[in-house]
Amino acid sequence: MSTVAVEVARALIEIGAVGFSPDKPITFKSGILSPVYVDNRRLPYWPAQWQTVIQGFRKAVNDQQIAFDVIAGIETAGIPHSAALAYSLERPSVFVRKQAKDHGTRSRIEGGDVTGKRVLLVEDLVTTGGSSLSGVEALRDDGAVVENCLAIISYGFTEAAEAFEAAHVTLHTLTAFDVVLDQALEMGRFGGREHEIIADWLRDPHGWADRQEVAE
């Protein structure tokens, strides 16, 4: 367990960016019921914790020796983090629209030309990977070379790992949900019963609702 993973996990818990609701699960867009949720849009309101994340990104870039020319963020939640990282590293940044505009160039890429550029994609959260890889496709359609994606955290779903591998993109995350879970328990955010319920979800999120007899 790396120091960065622990520091980022604790930062997210401190500001309520990661929450736990084992008795009132939420439903993801994919239909998966979850006893945990993430809202990293809270980070810019908390500069100290946000600095922990941005410094974590900088360390990941250095440690993994990720070569890039431009940093990109997915509309909208990824943009603050990609822009802050780019500003910190004094590198160009762009953002990727979820959908193309119905006028002008109709490109999904805003901010500058990425043709022939190595682009590092930055995400706040990876669930199934669909949004991130749609952004990769848009960047590649505009001539960019995209081989790496940085994310604050991922749910660790198997389908996401498979999707990134199929797209030939390496996903780098600052922390993981098992680290968050351990830190939340240590910080007294829930008890042993809640810990086991959430740990059970992490082991198999698709079958969790049936095992826990959760009503949708």
Side-chain angles (χ1 to χ4, degrees):
M1 187 186 303
S2 74
T3 301
V4 169
V6 171
E7 290 176 347
V8 170
R10 294 181 75 90
L12 298 181
I13 296 165
E14 287 167 357
I15 67 172
V18 177
F20 308 93
S21 55
D23 295 321
K24 294 181 179 180
I26 63 169
T27 303
F28 291 158
K29 185 178 179 180
S30 62
I32 296 173
L33 281 173
S34 171
V36 298
Y37 62 88
V38 180
D39 184 6
N40 287 331
R41 291 170 296 184
R42 297 176 61 85
L43 275 164
Y45 190 81
W46 301 88
Q49 287 82 0
W50 195 21
Q51 186 68 238
T52 297
V53 168
I54 299 305
Q55 291 301 320
F57 278 147
R58 288 178 60 108
K59 189 173 189 306
V61 168
N62 291 331
D63 289 352
Q64 301 299 321
Q65 298 184 332
I66 300 173
F68 65 93
D69 305 302
V70 178
I71 294 176
I74 301 288
E75 179 189 26
T76 55
I79 295 175
H81 314 301
S82 63
L85 179 60
Y87 182 82
S88 162
L89 295 174
E90 299 185 22
R91 295 293 188 93
S93 68
V94 299
F95 74 85
V96 184
R97 290 183 177 273
K98 291 181 180 177
Q99 295 180 329
K101 295 185 295 185
D102 58 4
H103 60 279
T105 63
R106 300 181 184 274
S107 172
R108 289 174 57 193
I109 313 305
E110 298 285 0
D113 185 10
V114 296
T115 305
K117 306 284 188 176
R118 297 167 299 178
V119 177
L120 171 60
L121 186 65
V122 172
E123 272 281 42
D124 71 316
L125 167 70
V126 171
T127 304
T128 62
S131 173
S132 305
L133 294 176
S134 174
V136 169
E137 182 179 1
L139 287 161
R140 288 174 174 172
D141 285 346
D142 271 25
V145 177
V146 188
E147 297 176 334
N148 293 278
C149 176
L150 281 178
I152 299 172
I153 191 169
S154 166
Y155 281 106
F157 291 168
T158 301
E159 56 263 48
E162 292 174 346
F164 274 92
E165 183 177 2
H168 304 290
V169 176
T170 301
L171 175 63
H172 312 266
T173 59
L174 297 185
T175 193
F177 263 96
D178 58 345
V179 180
V180 169
L181 186 58
D182 289 345
Q183 294 305 308
L185 181 62
E186 184 176 304
M187 294 165 72
R189 297 306 168 101
F190 48 66
R193 171 184 169 274
E194 291 83 3
H195 180 280
E196 181 51 41
I197 290 173
I198 298 167
D200 182 51
W201 180 80
L202 286 172
R203 286 190 290 268
D204 176 19
H206 293 279
W208 176 81
D210 289 337
R211 291 193 305 278
Q212 297 290 331
E213 297 182 351
V214 176
E216 298 191 32

